[in-house]
Amino acid sequence: MIRFTLDGAEVEARDGETLWEVSKRLGRTLPHLCHADREGFTPEGNCRACVVAIQGERALAASCRRKATSGMVVETRGERVEKTRRLVFELLAADQPPRAQAPDPDSAFWRWADVVGVHESRFAATAAAIAADRTHPAMAVRLDACIHCTLCLRACREVQVNDVIGMAGRGAHSRIVFDFNESMGASSCVGCGECVQACPTGALLPASGPIRAERRVESLCPFCGVGCQLTYHVAGGEIIAAEGRDGQANHERLC
């Protein structure tokens, strides 16, 4: 076990455990947008929402990438850390549709924005308007809400190994694309929905819009003999959506 100091208390970490994982295990989940915290997803550290301060280091570190080492002193709170997180969310919110017009006003992005205390941005938008893509029968694409976290890309490439989603362009011109910049409906997408489950902003969501269920029912997929565990979302006595549940056969994935 690795012993170090976290928010003034001496704690222990397992070998290879990140600061984000230790903090979560001890009951404090740090803000995160590009980190899925699910099997099959590698942490990227590109959103900087989970930054922490490490004694003796000039720059703040992405806790989802930084592994605990013996004797380190880490602060997940404090004025500098919290001010930086608010700035990150303000910058991201500047290029988002206003929450009232967002594709999913209750997305992970807006829920974490509430946690860090950001409800609007003082910065002007820099991104050009992007038209919605409604060509797929099951999924809607709203790249005006995309924050380039690359979770959809990793869901498609690393988790489902379909490799339909990628990044094109450089710098401010970077964008998510399907195949060779096709519409989603014209691409080789198989409609598994893994990217929708992963997206933290609603840039990818069900074609019918955000799921508004009255209750959730845990069940098992009847399609084949693999035994994937599912959660059905029910409204008005009908199943309106299904999500993968963390079972041994599928680990939250859908086929």
Side-chain angles (χ1 to χ4, degrees):
M1 299 296 284
I2 299 165
R3 290 181 173 82
F4 71 103
T5 301
L6 181 68
D7 292 329
E10 185 173 296
V11 299
E12 291 185 338
R14 307 180 184 95
D15 186 36
E17 199 171 21
T18 65
L19 299 176
W20 193 94
E21 290 170 328
V22 174
S23 185
K24 180 189 176 186
R25 178 165 53 78
L26 295 176
R28 178 174 169 77
T29 301
L30 300 179
H32 57 289
L33 296 171
C34 70
H35 176 40
D37 189 29
R38 287 175 52 197
E39 184 172 328
F41 286 85
T42 55
E44 287 287 301
N46 62 37
C47 73
R48 319 308 288 181
C50 70
V51 290
V52 296
I54 300 175
Q55 190 176 86
E57 297 189 7
R58 178 183 61 83
L60 299 178
S63 61
C64 67
R65 291 281 295 176
R66 191 62 178 271
K67 294 179 180 178
T69 57
S70 180
M72 73 190 322
V73 178
V74 182
E75 293 290 337
T76 69
R77 303 180 179 93
E79 182 180 358
R80 183 187 178 203
V81 170
E82 292 172 9
K83 184 178 180 180
T84 300
R85 287 184 190 147
R86 287 195 297 271
L87 180 60
V88 166
F89 275 86
E90 274 198 82
L91 289 167
L92 292 174
D95 287 328
Q96 289 278 309
R99 189 168 189 173
Q101 285 83 50
D104 184 1
D106 193 39
S107 67
F109 174 82
W110 287 113
R111 292 198 304 271
W112 279 118
D114 287 339
V115 170
V116 302
V118 171
H119 308 294
E120 57 186 8
S121 178
R122 75 190 112 156
F123 303 109
T126 58
I130 304 175
D133 177 0
R134 302 277 184 175
T135 58
H136 197 283
M139 292 175 279
V141 182
R142 285 283 306 272
L143 293 185
D144 56 336
C146 179
I147 59 172
H148 296 182
C149 68
T150 69
L151 271 176
C152 62
L153 187 155
R154 283 174 279 150
C156 194
R157 179 173 297 169
E158 299 175 10
V159 177
Q160 294 288 40
V161 200
N162 290 323
D163 210 9
V164 177
I165 302 176
M167 287 289 290
R170 290 178 176 271
H173 301 290
S174 298
R175 65 192 185 283
I176 288 290
V177 295
F178 304 96
D179 288 338
F180 294 102
N181 201 19
E182 306 283 350
S183 65
M184 194 181 200
S187 73
S188 56
C189 171
V190 299
C192 71
E194 190 71 37
C195 59
V196 172
Q197 287 195 169
C199 180
T201 66
L204 295 168
L205 71 165
S208 58
I211 299 170
R212 298 286 185 259
E214 297 168 357
R215 60 192 179 100
R216 296 156 60 94
V217 179
E218 294 184 352
S219 188
L220 196 71
C221 179
F223 184 67
C224 73
V226 170
C228 294
Q229 296 187 35
L230 305 178
T231 298
Y232 291 121
H233 296 260
V234 180
E238 296 183 352
I239 295 173
I240 60 170
E243 289 181 334
R245 195 156 50 94
D246 193 11
Q248 290 185 343
N250 62 313
H251 297 293
E252 299 186 40
R253 302 171 193 169
L254 298 172
C255 68

Short mmCIF file of all heavy atoms in Angstrom, two decimals, residues 103-157:
data_model
loop_
_atom_site.label_atom_id
_atom_site.label_comp_id
_atom_site.label_asym_id
_atom_site.label_seq_id
_atom_site.Cartn_x
_atom_site.Cartn_y
_atom_site.Cartn_z
N PRO A 103 -29.30 20.50 -25.59
CA PRO A 103 -29.94 19.23 -25.96
C PRO A 103 -30.34 18.41 -24.75
O PRO A 103 -31.34 17.69 -24.79
CB PRO A 103 -28.88 18.52 -26.82
CG PRO A 103 -27.60 19.26 -26.57
CD PRO A 103 -27.97 20.64 -26.20
N ASP A 104 -29.56 18.51 -23.66
CA ASP A 104 -29.92 17.82 -22.42
C ASP A 104 -29.56 18.74 -21.25
O ASP A 104 -28.42 18.75 -20.78
CB ASP A 104 -29.17 16.49 -22.30
CG ASP A 104 -29.60 15.70 -21.06
OD1 ASP A 104 -30.49 16.19 -20.32
OD2 ASP A 104 -29.06 14.60 -20.84
N PRO A 105 -30.52 19.51 -20.75
CA PRO A 105 -30.24 20.44 -19.65
C PRO A 105 -29.85 19.73 -18.35
O PRO A 105 -29.35 20.39 -17.43
CB PRO A 105 -31.57 21.19 -19.47
CG PRO A 105 -32.32 20.96 -20.75
CD PRO A 105 -31.91 19.62 -21.23
N ASP A 106 -30.08 18.42 -18.27
CA ASP A 106 -29.73 17.66 -17.07
C ASP A 106 -28.54 16.74 -17.34
O ASP A 106 -28.36 15.74 -16.67
CB ASP A 106 -30.93 16.84 -16.60
CG ASP A 106 -30.74 16.28 -15.20
OD1 ASP A 106 -30.18 17.00 -14.35
OD2 ASP A 106 -31.11 15.11 -14.95
N SER A 107 -27.72 17.10 -18.31
CA SER A 107 -26.56 16.28 -18.65
C SER A 107 -25.52 16.32 -17.54
O SER A 107 -25.58 17.16 -16.63
CB SER A 107 -25.92 16.77 -19.95
OG SER A 107 -25.37 18.07 -19.75
N ALA A 108 -24.55 15.43 -17.62
CA ALA A 108 -23.47 15.42 -16.63
C ALA A 108 -22.74 16.75 -16.60
O ALA A 108 -22.34 17.21 -15.53
CB ALA A 108 -22.48 14.29 -16.96
N PHE A 109 -22.60 17.38 -17.77
CA PHE A 109 -21.91 18.69 -17.79
C PHE A 109 -22.62 19.70 -16.92
O PHE A 109 -22.00 20.38 -16.09
CB PHE A 109 -21.83 19.20 -19.23
CG PHE A 109 -21.28 20.60 -19.32
CD1 PHE A 109 -19.91 20.82 -19.30
CD2 PHE A 109 -22.12 21.71 -19.40
CE1 PHE A 109 -19.40 22.11 -19.36
CE2 PHE A 109 -21.62 22.99 -19.46
CZ PHE A 109 -20.25 23.20 -19.44
N TRP A 110 -23.93 19.84 -17.09
CA TRP A 110 -24.66 20.85 -16.34
C TRP A 110 -24.81 20.47 -14.87
O TRP A 110 -24.83 21.35 -14.00
CB TRP A 110 -26.01 21.11 -16.99
CG TRP A 110 -25.89 21.87 -18.26
CD1 TRP A 110 -26.16 21.44 -19.53
CD2 TRP A 110 -25.43 23.23 -18.41
NE1 TRP A 110 -25.90 22.42 -20.45
CE2 TRP A 110 -25.45 23.53 -19.80
CE3 TRP A 110 -25.00 24.21 -17.52
CZ2 TRP A 110 -25.06 24.77 -20.30
CZ3 TRP A 110 -24.62 25.45 -18.01
CH2 TRP A 110 -24.65 25.71 -19.38
N ARG A 111 -24.89 19.18 -14.58
CA ARG A 111 -24.94 18.78 -13.16
C ARG A 111 -23.62 19.11 -12.46
O ARG A 111 -23.63 19.61 -11.32
CB ARG A 111 -25.25 17.28 -13.04
CG ARG A 111 -26.66 16.90 -13.49
CD ARG A 111 -27.07 15.54 -12.95
NE ARG A 111 -26.14 14.48 -13.32
CZ ARG A 111 -26.23 13.76 -14.43
NH1 ARG A 111 -27.19 14.00 -15.31
NH2 ARG A 111 -25.36 12.80 -14.68
N TRP A 112 -22.50 18.85 -13.11
CA TRP A 112 -21.22 19.19 -12.50
C TRP A 112 -21.03 20.71 -12.46
O TRP A 112 -20.40 21.24 -11.53
CB TRP A 112 -20.07 18.53 -13.25
CG TRP A 112 -19.85 17.10 -12.88
CD1 TRP A 112 -19.95 16.00 -13.68
CD2 TRP A 112 -19.50 16.60 -11.58
NE1 TRP A 112 -19.69 14.85 -12.96
CE2 TRP A 112 -19.41 15.20 -11.67
CE3 TRP A 112 -19.25 17.21 -10.34
CZ2 TRP A 112 -19.08 14.39 -10.58
CZ3 TRP A 112 -18.93 16.41 -9.24
CH2 TRP A 112 -18.83 15.03 -9.38
N ALA A 113 -21.55 21.42 -13.45
CA ALA A 113 -21.48 22.89 -13.42
C ALA A 113 -22.19 23.43 -12.18
O ALA A 113 -21.72 24.39 -11.55
CB ALA A 113 -22.08 23.47 -14.70
N ASP A 114 -23.32 22.81 -11.84
CA ASP A 114 -24.02 23.21 -10.62
C ASP A 114 -23.15 22.96 -9.39
O ASP A 114 -23.11 23.78 -8.46
CB ASP A 114 -25.33 22.42 -10.48
CG ASP A 114 -26.40 22.88 -11.46
OD1 ASP A 114 -26.30 24.02 -11.97
OD2 ASP A 114 -27.33 22.09 -11.73
N VAL A 115 -22.45 21.84 -9.38
CA VAL A 115 -21.61 21.48 -8.22
C VAL A 115 -20.49 22.49 -8.02
O VAL A 115 -20.21 22.92 -6.89
CB VAL A 115 -21.03 20.06 -8.39
CG1 VAL A 115 -19.97 19.78 -7.31
CG2 VAL A 115 -22.13 19.01 -8.32
N VAL A 116 -19.85 22.91 -9.12
CA VAL A 116 -18.73 23.84 -8.99
C VAL A 116 -19.19 25.29 -8.93
O VAL A 116 -18.40 26.19 -8.68
CB VAL A 116 -17.71 23.67 -10.14
CG1 VAL A 116 -17.17 22.26 -10.18
CG2 VAL A 116 -18.31 24.04 -11.49
N GLY A 117 -20.50 25.53 -9.16
CA GLY A 117 -21.05 26.87 -9.01
C GLY A 117 -21.02 27.72 -10.26
O GLY A 117 -20.94 28.95 -10.18
N VAL A 118 -21.11 27.08 -11.43
CA VAL A 118 -21.12 27.83 -12.69
C VAL A 118 -22.49 27.65 -13.34
O VAL A 118 -22.91 26.54 -13.64
CB VAL A 118 -20.02 27.34 -13.65
CG1 VAL A 118 -20.19 27.95 -15.04
CG2 VAL A 118 -18.65 27.68 -13.08
N HIS A 119 -23.17 28.76 -13.58
CA HIS A 119 -24.51 28.72 -14.18
C HIS A 119 -24.56 29.45 -15.53
O HIS A 119 -25.49 29.26 -16.29
CB HIS A 119 -25.53 29.32 -13.22
CG HIS A 119 -25.47 28.69 -11.85
ND1 HIS A 119 -25.79 27.37 -11.62
CD2 HIS A 119 -25.08 29.21 -10.65
CE1 HIS A 119 -25.63 27.09 -10.34
NE2 HIS A 119 -25.20 28.18 -9.73
N GLU A 120 -23.54 30.26 -15.78
CA GLU A 120 -23.41 30.94 -17.06
C GLU A 120 -21.95 31.33 -17.23
O GLU A 120 -21.16 31.22 -16.28
CB GLU A 120 -24.32 32.17 -17.14
CG GLU A 120 -24.06 33.18 -16.04
CD GLU A 120 -25.05 34.32 -16.05
OE1 GLU A 120 -26.02 34.25 -16.83
OE2 GLU A 120 -24.84 35.29 -15.31
N SER A 121 -21.60 31.79 -18.42
CA SER A 121 -20.20 32.12 -18.68
C SER A 121 -20.06 33.60 -18.97
O SER A 121 -20.89 34.22 -19.63
CB SER A 121 -19.67 31.31 -19.86
OG SER A 121 -18.33 31.66 -20.16
N ARG A 122 -18.97 34.17 -18.49
CA ARG A 122 -18.67 35.59 -18.78
C ARG A 122 -17.96 35.75 -20.11
O ARG A 122 -17.74 36.85 -20.59
CB ARG A 122 -17.81 36.17 -17.66
CG ARG A 122 -16.37 35.73 -17.70
CD ARG A 122 -15.61 36.13 -16.47
NE ARG A 122 -15.28 34.92 -15.71
CZ ARG A 122 -14.25 34.87 -14.87
NH1 ARG A 122 -13.52 35.93 -14.65
NH2 ARG A 122 -13.99 33.76 -14.23
N PHE A 123 -17.56 34.61 -20.73
CA PHE A 123 -16.78 34.66 -21.97
C PHE A 123 -17.69 34.59 -23.19
O PHE A 123 -18.74 33.97 -23.17
CB PHE A 123 -15.78 33.50 -22.00
CG PHE A 123 -14.85 33.49 -20.83
CD1 PHE A 123 -14.96 32.52 -19.84
CD2 PHE A 123 -13.86 34.46 -20.70
CE1 PHE A 123 -14.11 32.50 -18.75
CE2 PHE A 123 -13.01 34.46 -19.61
CZ PHE A 123 -13.13 33.48 -18.63
N ALA A 124 -17.23 35.19 -24.27
CA ALA A 124 -17.97 35.15 -25.52
C ALA A 124 -17.73 33.83 -26.23
O ALA A 124 -16.65 33.25 -26.13
CB ALA A 124 -17.54 36.32 -26.42
N ALA A 125 -18.74 33.37 -26.92
CA ALA A 125 -18.60 32.13 -27.68
C ALA A 125 -17.60 32.33 -28.81
O ALA A 125 -17.54 33.40 -29.43
CB ALA A 125 -19.95 31.71 -28.25
N THR A 126 -16.82 31.30 -29.08
CA THR A 126 -15.83 31.37 -30.16
C THR A 126 -16.13 30.40 -31.29
O THR A 126 -15.62 30.55 -32.40
CB THR A 126 -14.42 31.06 -29.62
OG1 THR A 126 -14.41 29.76 -29.02
CG2 THR A 126 -14.00 32.09 -28.59
N ALA A 127 -16.95 29.38 -31.01
CA ALA A 127 -17.22 28.36 -32.03
C ALA A 127 -18.33 28.82 -32.98
O ALA A 127 -19.28 29.49 -32.58
CB ALA A 127 -17.63 27.05 -31.35
N ALA A 128 -18.18 28.44 -34.24
CA ALA A 128 -19.22 28.75 -35.22
C ALA A 128 -20.41 27.82 -35.01
O ALA A 128 -20.27 26.72 -34.45
CB ALA A 128 -18.66 28.56 -36.63
N ALA A 129 -21.59 28.26 -35.42
CA ALA A 129 -22.79 27.45 -35.25
C ALA A 129 -22.66 26.15 -36.06
O ALA A 129 -22.15 26.14 -37.18
CB ALA A 129 -24.01 28.23 -35.72
N ILE A 130 -23.13 25.07 -35.46
CA ILE A 130 -23.08 23.76 -36.12
C ILE A 130 -24.50 23.22 -36.20
O ILE A 130 -25.20 23.14 -35.18
CB ILE A 130 -22.19 22.78 -35.33
CG1 ILE A 130 -20.78 23.35 -35.15
CG2 ILE A 130 -22.12 21.43 -36.05
CD1 ILE A 130 -19.88 22.50 -34.28
N ALA A 131 -24.92 22.85 -37.38
CA ALA A 131 -26.28 22.34 -37.56
C ALA A 131 -26.41 20.95 -36.96
O ALA A 131 -25.46 20.16 -36.95
CB ALA A 131 -26.63 22.29 -39.04
N ALA A 132 -27.60 20.65 -36.45
CA ALA A 132 -27.86 19.32 -35.89
C ALA A 132 -27.91 18.28 -37.01
O ALA A 132 -28.29 18.58 -38.15
CB ALA A 132 -29.18 19.33 -35.13
N ASP A 133 -27.50 17.06 -36.68
CA ASP A 133 -27.52 15.95 -37.63
C ASP A 133 -28.60 14.96 -37.16
O ASP A 133 -28.45 14.31 -36.13
CB ASP A 133 -26.15 15.28 -37.67
CG ASP A 133 -26.10 14.04 -38.57
OD1 ASP A 133 -27.13 13.69 -39.17
OD2 ASP A 133 -25.02 13.41 -38.65
N ARG A 134 -29.69 14.86 -37.91
CA ARG A 134 -30.81 13.99 -37.56
C ARG A 134 -30.94 12.82 -38.53
O ARG A 134 -32.03 12.26 -38.69
CB ARG A 134 -32.10 14.79 -37.55
CG ARG A 134 -32.10 15.98 -36.60
CD ARG A 134 -32.44 15.58 -35.19
NE ARG A 134 -32.52 16.71 -34.29
CZ ARG A 134 -32.90 16.63 -33.03
NH1 ARG A 134 -33.25 15.44 -32.54
NH2 ARG A 134 -32.95 17.69 -32.26
N THR A 135 -29.85 12.44 -39.17
CA THR A 135 -29.94 11.43 -40.22
C THR A 135 -29.98 10.01 -39.69
O THR A 135 -30.35 9.09 -40.43
CB THR A 135 -28.75 11.56 -41.18
OG1 THR A 135 -27.52 11.41 -40.44
CG2 THR A 135 -28.76 12.91 -41.88
N HIS A 136 -29.60 9.80 -38.44
CA HIS A 136 -29.61 8.44 -37.88
C HIS A 136 -30.99 8.14 -37.29
O HIS A 136 -31.58 9.00 -36.64
CB HIS A 136 -28.53 8.31 -36.79
CG HIS A 136 -28.19 6.90 -36.44
ND1 HIS A 136 -29.00 6.11 -35.64
CD2 HIS A 136 -27.12 6.12 -36.78
CE1 HIS A 136 -28.44 4.92 -35.49
NE2 HIS A 136 -27.31 4.89 -36.17
N PRO A 137 -31.51 6.95 -37.50
CA PRO A 137 -32.86 6.65 -36.99
C PRO A 137 -32.96 6.57 -35.47
O PRO A 137 -34.04 6.76 -34.92
CB PRO A 137 -33.20 5.29 -37.63
CG PRO A 137 -31.87 4.68 -37.93
CD PRO A 137 -30.98 5.82 -38.29
N ALA A 138 -31.84 6.32 -34.79
CA ALA A 138 -31.90 6.11 -33.34
C ALA A 138 -31.22 7.19 -32.53
O ALA A 138 -31.51 7.35 -31.34
CB ALA A 138 -31.29 4.75 -32.98
N MET A 139 -30.30 7.93 -33.15
CA MET A 139 -29.50 8.88 -32.39
C MET A 139 -29.46 10.24 -33.06
O MET A 139 -29.42 10.32 -34.30
CB MET A 139 -28.07 8.34 -32.20
CG MET A 139 -28.02 7.13 -31.28
SD MET A 139 -26.37 6.40 -31.19
CE MET A 139 -26.36 5.42 -32.70
N ALA A 140 -29.46 11.28 -32.27
CA ALA A 140 -29.34 12.65 -32.77
C ALA A 140 -27.95 13.18 -32.44
O ALA A 140 -27.39 12.87 -31.38
CB ALA A 140 -30.40 13.54 -32.14
N VAL A 141 -27.42 13.99 -33.33
CA VAL A 141 -26.09 14.55 -33.16
C VAL A 141 -26.21 16.07 -33.03
O VAL A 141 -26.70 16.73 -33.94
CB VAL A 141 -25.17 14.19 -34.35
CG1 VAL A 141 -23.77 14.75 -34.12
CG2 VAL A 141 -25.13 12.68 -34.55
N ARG A 142 -25.77 16.61 -31.88
CA ARG A 142 -25.79 18.05 -31.63
C ARG A 142 -24.38 18.51 -31.28
O ARG A 142 -24.04 18.72 -30.12
CB ARG A 142 -26.76 18.35 -30.49
CG ARG A 142 -28.23 18.27 -30.85
CD ARG A 142 -28.67 19.51 -31.62
NE ARG A 142 -28.34 20.74 -30.89
CZ ARG A 142 -29.15 21.31 -29.98
NH1 ARG A 142 -30.32 20.78 -29.72
NH2 ARG A 142 -28.78 22.43 -29.37
N LEU A 143 -23.52 18.63 -32.29
CA LEU A 143 -22.13 18.95 -32.03
C LEU A 143 -21.93 20.38 -31.55
O LEU A 143 -20.82 20.76 -31.17
CB LEU A 143 -21.29 18.69 -33.28
CG LEU A 143 -21.16 17.22 -33.68
CD1 LEU A 143 -20.21 17.06 -34.85
CD2 LEU A 143 -20.71 16.35 -32.51
N ASP A 144 -22.99 21.20 -31.54
CA ASP A 144 -22.87 22.51 -30.91
C ASP A 144 -22.70 22.38 -29.41
O ASP A 144 -22.27 23.33 -28.75
CB ASP A 144 -24.09 23.39 -31.23
CG ASP A 144 -25.41 22.75 -30.84
OD1 ASP A 144 -25.48 21.50 -30.75
OD2 ASP A 144 -26.39 23.49 -30.64
N ALA A 145 -23.00 21.21 -28.86
CA ALA A 145 -22.81 20.96 -27.43
C ALA A 145 -21.57 20.13 -27.14
O ALA A 145 -21.33 19.75 -26.00
CB ALA A 145 -24.04 20.25 -26.85
N CYS A 146 -20.77 19.85 -28.17
CA CYS A 146 -19.59 18.99 -28.00
C CYS A 146 -18.46 19.75 -27.31
O CYS A 146 -18.18 20.90 -27.65
CB CYS A 146 -19.13 18.48 -29.36
SG CYS A 146 -17.66 17.43 -29.30
N ILE A 147 -17.78 19.11 -26.35
CA ILE A 147 -16.65 19.73 -25.66
C ILE A 147 -15.34 19.03 -25.99
O ILE A 147 -14.32 19.25 -25.33
CB ILE A 147 -16.87 19.75 -24.13
CG1 ILE A 147 -17.05 18.32 -23.59
CG2 ILE A 147 -18.04 20.64 -23.76
CD1 ILE A 147 -17.08 18.24 -22.07
N HIS A 148 -15.34 18.14 -26.99
CA HIS A 148 -14.13 17.42 -27.43
C HIS A 148 -13.50 16.61 -26.29
O HIS A 148 -12.27 16.52 -26.22
CB HIS A 148 -13.10 18.39 -28.00
CG HIS A 148 -13.57 19.09 -29.24
ND1 HIS A 148 -12.80 19.98 -29.95
CD2 HIS A 148 -14.75 19.03 -29.92
CE1 HIS A 148 -13.45 20.43 -30.99
NE2 HIS A 148 -14.66 19.87 -30.99
N CYS A 149 -14.32 16.04 -25.45
CA CYS A 149 -13.80 15.19 -24.38
C CYS A 149 -13.28 13.86 -24.92
O CYS A 149 -12.54 13.17 -24.24
CB CYS A 149 -14.88 14.95 -23.32
SG CYS A 149 -16.27 13.95 -23.90
N THR A 150 -13.70 13.49 -26.11
CA THR A 150 -13.35 12.25 -26.83
C THR A 150 -13.92 10.99 -26.18
O THR A 150 -13.51 9.88 -26.53
CB THR A 150 -11.82 12.08 -27.03
OG1 THR A 150 -11.17 11.82 -25.80
CG2 THR A 150 -11.23 13.30 -27.71
N LEU A 151 -14.87 11.12 -25.29
CA LEU A 151 -15.48 9.92 -24.70
C LEU A 151 -16.22 9.10 -25.76
O LEU A 151 -16.16 7.87 -25.76
CB LEU A 151 -16.45 10.30 -23.58
CG LEU A 151 -15.85 10.41 -22.18
CD1 LEU A 151 -16.89 10.90 -21.19
CD2 LEU A 151 -15.28 9.07 -21.72
N CYS A 152 -16.90 9.78 -26.70
CA CYS A 152 -17.60 9.04 -27.75
C CYS A 152 -16.62 8.30 -28.64
O CYS A 152 -16.86 7.15 -29.05
CB CYS A 152 -18.49 9.97 -28.57
SG CYS A 152 -17.59 11.28 -29.45
N LEU A 153 -15.50 8.94 -28.93
CA LEU A 153 -14.47 8.31 -29.75
C LEU A 153 -13.93 7.06 -29.08
O LEU A 153 -13.80 6.00 -29.71
CB LEU A 153 -13.34 9.32 -30.01
CG LEU A 153 -12.23 8.95 -30.98
CD1 LEU A 153 -11.61 10.22 -31.56
CD2 LEU A 153 -11.14 8.12 -30.31
N ARG A 154 -13.63 7.17 -27.78
CA ARG A 154 -13.11 6.01 -27.05
C ARG A 154 -14.16 4.93 -26.88
O ARG A 154 -13.85 3.73 -26.89
CB ARG A 154 -12.56 6.47 -25.69
CG ARG A 154 -11.21 7.16 -25.81
CD ARG A 154 -10.75 7.74 -24.50
NE ARG A 154 -11.37 9.03 -24.23
CZ ARG A 154 -11.62 9.50 -23.02
NH1 ARG A 154 -11.39 8.75 -21.94
NH2 ARG A 154 -12.15 10.69 -22.86
N ALA A 155 -15.43 5.34 -26.71
CA ALA A 155 -16.51 4.36 -26.62
C ALA A 155 -16.59 3.54 -27.90
O ALA A 155 -16.79 2.32 -27.88
CB ALA A 155 -17.84 5.05 -26.35
N CYS A 156 -16.45 4.21 -29.03
CA CYS A 156 -16.58 3.55 -30.33
C CYS A 156 -15.32 2.75 -30.68
O CYS A 156 -15.40 1.64 -31.19
CB CYS A 156 -16.85 4.60 -31.40
SG CYS A 156 -17.40 3.93 -32.97
N ARG A 157 -14.16 3.33 -30.38
CA ARG A 157 -12.89 2.71 -30.80
C ARG A 157 -12.38 1.68 -29.80
O ARG A 157 -11.98 0.57 -30.19
CB ARG A 157 -11.84 3.79 -31.01
CG ARG A 157 -10.47 3.29 -31.42
CD ARG A 157 -9.56 4.45 -31.77
NE ARG A 157 -10.07 5.17 -32.94
CZ ARG A 157 -9.59 6.36 -33.33
NH1 ARG A 157 -8.62 6.94 -32.65
NH2 ARG A 157 -10.09 6.95 -34.40
#
